[in-house]
Amino acid sequence: MKNINKITLKTKKSLTAKDYFDGIKKGNRALLSKAITLIESSNLKHQEIAEELIELCLPLSGNSVRIGITGVPGVGKSTFIEALGSYLIEEKGKQIAVLAIDPSSKKSHGSILGDKTRMNKLSVNDKAFIRPSPSSGTLGGVAKATRETTILCEAAGYDTILIETVGVGQSEIEVKSMVDFFLLLMLAGAGDELQGIKRGIMEIADAVVINKADSDNIDNAKMAVREYKNAMHLFPANDNGWIPKVESCSAIEDKNINKVWDIIESFTNHTIVNNSFSENRRKQSKFWLEHAINTSLMNLFYADEQIKNQLIDLEKSVSEGETSPFKAAKELIASFKS
Ligand code: GDP
C-alpha cells in the first residue's frame, strides 16, 4: 500500500473524479483523504467533483458492517476502538475505517474525536484508516459528510466502518441512521444522569457495553451488566427481532473485546437471515433522500434574493408583534413559489 501512496499527486485542481476513483480503488490513502476533504468542502467545484466521485464509488460500496459507537467523553471510546480495531485486523483479517462525528468540535476549535494521537496502534496500521470529525459545519452537514465518507471508504476496501460519536444527544440519532449496529459504551457505578445518557439513546442501542471492567471495578461492572439487562427488558422489542445485549469489557486490558465482536457478528447473522439488515439500509437511504431534499430546499429558499429582502422586513414585523410567525412564513413560501 505504501508504494501506491507514493504515486505522484497532481494538484487538487487538475484531478478529476475518475482520478480520485482510480486511486481510491487501488487503496491510495492519500487520495482517499483528499477526496474526503472535497466532501467536507463548501466550495461548489469541490462539491461537484465529490458528487461525481460518490456516484462512481456507490456500486463498490455497501459491503461492510457499519458500527456506531457512542458514550460520554472519558468512557473509553478511543481506547475501545483501538482495542476492537486491532483485534479485528489481527484476528479476523479485517480492514478498518474509523470516522468521527463530533458536534462540539466547532466550539472546541478542533476535533476531540478520532484524534490520531489517541489511537496510537491503529493510526500506524496499514489496515486502518482514521479520519477525525470535520472541524466545521452543522451537525447535519457533518453527518452527511460522514455518510458519504463511508461510501468512499467502502469503495477503498474497508470492510468494517467504526463511526464514533460523543453521547450527548442529537448526534446519536444521525449516527443511528447511517449504521447497521449501534453500540453504547457505559461505565459502572456512574449513574445514567451523570453519564448524560438519555433514555432515548438506550432505546436505540443494539448493545450496551460496560467498559473499564478491570482491577477493583470488576464487581461493579458485573452488577451494572445485571442492572442494564433488567432495564433493557422494559423496552419494546425491536422490529428486527433483535434483543439488545449487555456485556462488559476492559478496553485497556483487551478483555472481552472478542465477546463484543461476537455480539456484533450474531447481530449481523440474525438480521441478514431475516432480511432486516438490507431493509434497514433501504430505510436509511430513504431517510437520507428526504434529508437531502429538505436541506437543498432550505438552501434554495434562503439563497433567494427576493426572500432575503422580504425576510428582513417580515422578521422585524414578527418581532414587533405586527405579524404572526405563521402568516409571515406562509407569505414567504407563497412568494418563493411564485
Ligand atoms: P473517550 O473520551 O471516550 O474516547 O475515552 P478515552 O479512550 O480517551 O479514555 C479515557 C480515559 O479512560 C483514558 O485515561 C483511558 O486510559 C481510560 N480507559 C479507557 N478504557 C479503559 C479501561 O478499559 N479500563 C480503565 N481502567 N481505563 C480505561
Side-chain angles (χ1 to χ4, degrees), residues 86-100:
S86 306
Y87 167 76
L88 292 177
I89 290 169
E90 284 155 25
E91 307 285 330
K92 303 279 175 181
K94 303 277 186 197
Q95 299 209 58
I96 316 290
V98 181
L99 314 177

Side-chain angles (χ1 to χ4, degrees), residues 72-79 118 164 211-212 214 249-252:
V72 291
V75 70
K77 291 180 296 299
S78 320
T79 316
R118 291 158 78 227
E164 180 186 7
N211 190 33
K212 308 198 185 182
D214 43 49
C249 77
S250 168
I252 218 155

Side-chain angles (χ1 to χ4, degrees), residues 76-131:
K77 291 180 296 299
S78 320
T79 316
F80 176 80
I81 289 173
E82 170 105 326
L84 178 66
S86 306
Y87 167 76
L88 292 177
I89 290 169
E90 284 155 25
E91 307 285 330
K92 303 279 175 181
K94 303 277 186 197
Q95 299 209 58
I96 316 290
V98 181
L99 314 177
I101 292 193
D102 178 3
S104 65
S105 65
K106 201 173 168 188
K107 283 181 225 141
S108 58
H109 300 293
S111 174
I112 56 161
L113 282 180
D115 186 339
K116 283 187 184 183
T117 57
R118 291 158 78 227
M119 295 177 201
N120 296 328
K121 260 165 81 186
L122 275 188
S123 62
V124 294
N125 196 314
D126 258 6
K127 298 273 185 330
F129 177 80
I130 302 178
R131 180 77 183 188

Side-chain angles (χ1 to χ4, degrees), residues 2-261:
K2 269 192 186 129
N3 287 336
I4 301 168
N5 283 341
K6 278 188 191 147
I7 290 175
T8 325
L9 295 177
K10 295 189 228 168
T11 63
K12 200 183 276 176
K13 221 161 135 198
S14 60
L15 284 179
T16 65
K18 180 78 168 52
D19 292 333
Y20 282 107
F21 179 60
D22 290 342
I24 287 172
K25 263 196 313 189
K26 285 185 198 138
N28 184 327
R29 293 148 64 101
L31 272 189
L32 175 60
S33 285
K34 268 181 160 248
I36 297 171
T37 307
L38 294 183
I39 286 179
E40 293 166 357
S41 166
S42 53
N43 176 309
L44 282 180
K45 185 77 200 136
H46 292 171
Q47 284 176 6
E48 263 173 36
I49 301 174
E51 265 168 37
E52 203 185 326
L53 174 62
I54 291 160
E55 287 299 307
L56 289 170
C57 287
L58 260 180
L60 300 183
S61 73
N63 296 320
S64 76
V65 179
R66 304 167 184 166
I67 301 161
I69 296 170
T70 195
V72 291
V75 70
K77 291 180 296 299
S78 320
T79 316
F80 176 80
I81 289 173
E82 170 105 326
L84 178 66
S86 306
Y87 167 76
L88 292 177
I89 290 169
E90 284 155 25
E91 307 285 330
K92 303 279 175 181
K94 303 277 186 197
Q95 299 209 58
I96 316 290
V98 181
L99 314 177
I101 292 193
D102 178 3
S104 65
S105 65
K106 201 173 168 188
K107 283 181 225 141
S108 58
H109 300 293
S111 174
I112 56 161
L113 282 180
D115 186 339
K116 283 187 184 183
T117 57
R118 291 158 78 227
M119 295 177 201
N120 296 328
K121 260 165 81 186
L122 275 188
S123 62
V124 294
N125 196 314
D126 258 6
K127 298 273 185 330
F129 177 80
I130 302 178
R131 180 77 183 188
S133 178
S135 56
S136 66
T138 58
L139 172 57
V142 172
K144 174 179 176 279
T146 306
R147 190 175 147 86
E148 292 173 343
T149 301
T150 299
I151 293 168
L152 263 51
C153 289
E154 288 173 352
Y158 295 96
D159 51 28
T160 312
I161 315 287
L162 304 178
I163 302 180
E164 180 186 7
T165 183
V166 178
V168 286
Q170 181 58 27
S171 54
E172 280 66 33
I173 310 297
E174 301 267 350
V175 174
K176 175 77 178 174
S177 59
M178 63 177 87
V179 298
D180 307 308
F181 187 91
F182 194 69
L183 190 153
L184 174 60
L185 273 186
M186 294 191 80
L187 298 172
D192 288 359
E193 303 232 327
L194 204 74
Q195 299 192 50
I197 298 300
K198 307 257 158 42
R199 194 185 153 89
I201 299 176
M202 287 269 296
E203 272 179 64
I204 61 172
D206 297 302
V208 171
V209 174
I210 315 293
N211 190 33
K212 308 198 185 182
D214 43 49
S215 56
D216 53 5
N217 205 24
I218 293 179
D219 287 342
N220 276 342
K222 275 187 191 154
M223 204 158 71
V225 167
R226 273 198 303 274
E227 278 171 13
Y228 282 115
K229 273 188 179 161
N230 287 336
M232 302 296 261
H233 277 301
L234 303 175
F235 299 143
N238 284 324
D239 291 348
N240 60 11
W242 172 255
I243 299 163
K245 302 289 182 288
V246 186
E247 188 52 86
S248 64
C249 77
S250 168
I252 218 155
E253 291 183 2
D254 257 330
K255 270 198 316 213
N256 265 7
I257 300 299
N258 56 338
K259 285 200 181 162
V260 177
W261 181 247

